[in-house]
């Protein structure tokens, strides 16, 4: 029975490692940068690999293209256009990597769990996690802490893990930008102030607000993440992986 449990855990470890590698490889295919404009070409937004805006630029003839009250929405539209460009580039890159075949292979691994058809093949690539210095506690202690962590998670709902948001302002507080950890959420520009500004000054104010929002975003986390931060899930996972690497721990 112990050998069957060990075999099942080893197979699951192999599956998890292959899945992690596939997800990492897919993420690496995301274009490092993408640029988009609003429909009238008044504003352009350039994204970084984190899918958040890196810079915003206002066209020199923006007033001919957009009225001042539409400048904020134009930034949001330009962001959406840049996101579409980035996703299309990602899709094209993925088509060249054979990810669908690799995903099908993973599905096959799940269809025959614990088949016992032969010796378990070691993972094609070693685990990225360095476990040489991990000294797992007795299994009952690790299981107890894991159950306690699951109890803590049981009290959380979907709203607990909504992406955190942060708002940044320009130095003169005429421009406000809202970001989540995954997207540009909002952009507000004082239209009376904007009507008197050059494209250079508007671009400067937009990027000031953007930088402020990005800096604040780095310091916030979702309520759910804050509540489980002390649970150390990575430490528990490392202990389980160390046990898998030393079968004597499971006997």
């Amino acid at each position: 029975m112990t050998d069957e449990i060990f075999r099942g855990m080893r197979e699951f470890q192999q599956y998890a490692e292959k899945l992690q590698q596939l997800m990492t490889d897919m993420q690496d295919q995301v274009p490092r940068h993408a640029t988009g404009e609003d429909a009238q070409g008044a504003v352009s937004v350039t994204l970084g690999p984190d899918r958040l805006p890196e810079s915003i630029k206002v066209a020199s003839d923006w007033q001919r293209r957009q009225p001042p009250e539409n400048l904020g929405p134009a930034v949001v539209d330009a962001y959406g256009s840049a996101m579409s460009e980035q996703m299309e580039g990602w899709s094209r890159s993925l088509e060249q990597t054979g990810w669908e075949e690799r995903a099908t292979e993973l599905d096959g691994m799940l269809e025959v769990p614990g088949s016992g058809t032969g010796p378990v093949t070691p993972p094609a690539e070693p685990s990225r996690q360095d476990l040489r210095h991990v000294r797992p506690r007795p299994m009952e202690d690790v299981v107890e802490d894991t159950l306690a962590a699951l109890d803590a998670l049981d009290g959380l709902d979907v709203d607990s893990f909504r992406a955190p948001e942060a708002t940044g302002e320009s130095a003169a507080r005429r421009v406000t930008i809202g970001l989540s950890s995954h997207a540009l959420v909002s952009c507000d520009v004082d239209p009376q102030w904007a009507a008197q500004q050059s494209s250079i000054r508007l671009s400067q104010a937009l990027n000031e607000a953007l930088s402020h929002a990005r800096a604040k975003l780095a310091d916030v986390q979702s309520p759910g993440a804050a509540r489980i931060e002390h649970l150390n899930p990575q430490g528990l996972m490392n202990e389980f992986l160390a046990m898998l690497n030393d079968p004597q721990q499971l006997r």
Side-chain angles (χ1 to χ4, degrees):
M1 179 63 70
T2 301
D3 289 342
E4 292 178 5
I5 293 174
F6 176 67
R7 179 182 296 277
M9 295 180 71
R10 174 64 72 179
E11 289 176 352
F12 180 77
Q13 181 190 19
Q14 291 182 22
Y15 172 80
E17 289 176 348
K18 287 179 178 291
L19 178 60
Q20 180 184 31
Q21 186 62 54
L22 175 61
M23 298 301 292
T24 299
D25 291 345
M26 291 177 67
Q27 185 64 31
D28 288 344
Q29 296 299 317
V30 176
R32 304 297 295 175
H33 300 282
T35 299
E37 296 181 339
D38 66 296
Q40 284 70 40
V43 179
S44 63
V45 172
T46 298
L47 306 185
D50 59 0
R51 292 173 292 181
L52 293 178
E54 278 193 342
S55 64
I56 303 172
K57 183 178 180 180
V58 178
S60 59
D61 59 346
W62 70 272
Q63 286 184 312
R64 184 176 63 83
R65 300 171 182 268
Q66 288 281 15
E69 59 270 20
N70 283 358
L71 194 57
V75 172
V76 177
D77 288 348
Y79 170 78
S81 176
M83 277 290 293
S84 295
E85 178 65 24
Q86 191 172 55
M87 291 301 98
E88 289 174 6
W90 189 28
S91 178
R92 291 191 295 269
S93 296
L94 287 177
E95 290 177 357
Q96 302 172 9
T97 65
W99 72 272
E100 290 182 293
E101 291 79 4
R102 294 171 64 186
T104 300
E105 178 187 346
L106 287 174
D107 285 341
M109 293 178 66
L110 287 181
E111 290 173 2
V112 288
S115 58
T117 56
V120 176
T121 303
E125 297 185 15
S127 172
R128 294 184 174 212
Q129 191 67 34
D130 186 355
L131 304 174
R132 290 175 298 176
H133 304 296
V134 176
R135 296 292 180 266
R137 296 166 294 155
M139 177 175 279
E140 57 267 23
D141 292 342
V142 178
V143 171
E144 182 178 351
D145 284 354
T146 301
L147 292 176
L150 292 174
D151 286 340
L153 289 172
D154 191 48
L156 301 175
D157 55 23
V158 174
D159 288 340
S160 299
F161 290 96
R162 289 189 181 277
E165 296 185 6
T167 300
E169 295 179 323
S170 63
R173 297 187 176 182
R174 301 292 188 174
V175 177
T176 303
I177 286 180
L179 298 178
S180 76
S181 56
H182 306 302
L184 184 147
V185 177
S186 63
C187 179
D188 296 310
V189 180
D190 182 339
Q192 293 183 340
W193 172 83
Q196 307 301 318
Q197 308 304 312
S198 67
S199 61
I200 294 176
R201 178 64 188 116
L202 284 171
S203 298
Q204 180 182 7
L206 285 163
N207 285 288
E208 285 175 358
L210 174 62
S211 296
H212 188 202
R214 290 184 67 107
K216 290 173 65 176
L217 189 63
D219 296 328
V220 298
Q221 59 183 176
S222 66
R227 287 175 60 181
I228 66 173
E229 187 176 27
H230 69 285
L231 298 178
N232 189 24
Q234 185 61 60
L236 292 172
M237 178 60 70
N238 288 346
E239 288 188 278
F240 274 118
L241 291 176
M243 289 178 188
L244 286 175
N245 291 336
D246 182 7
Q248 294 300 320
Q249 296 281 346
L250 302 174
R251 298 184 185 276

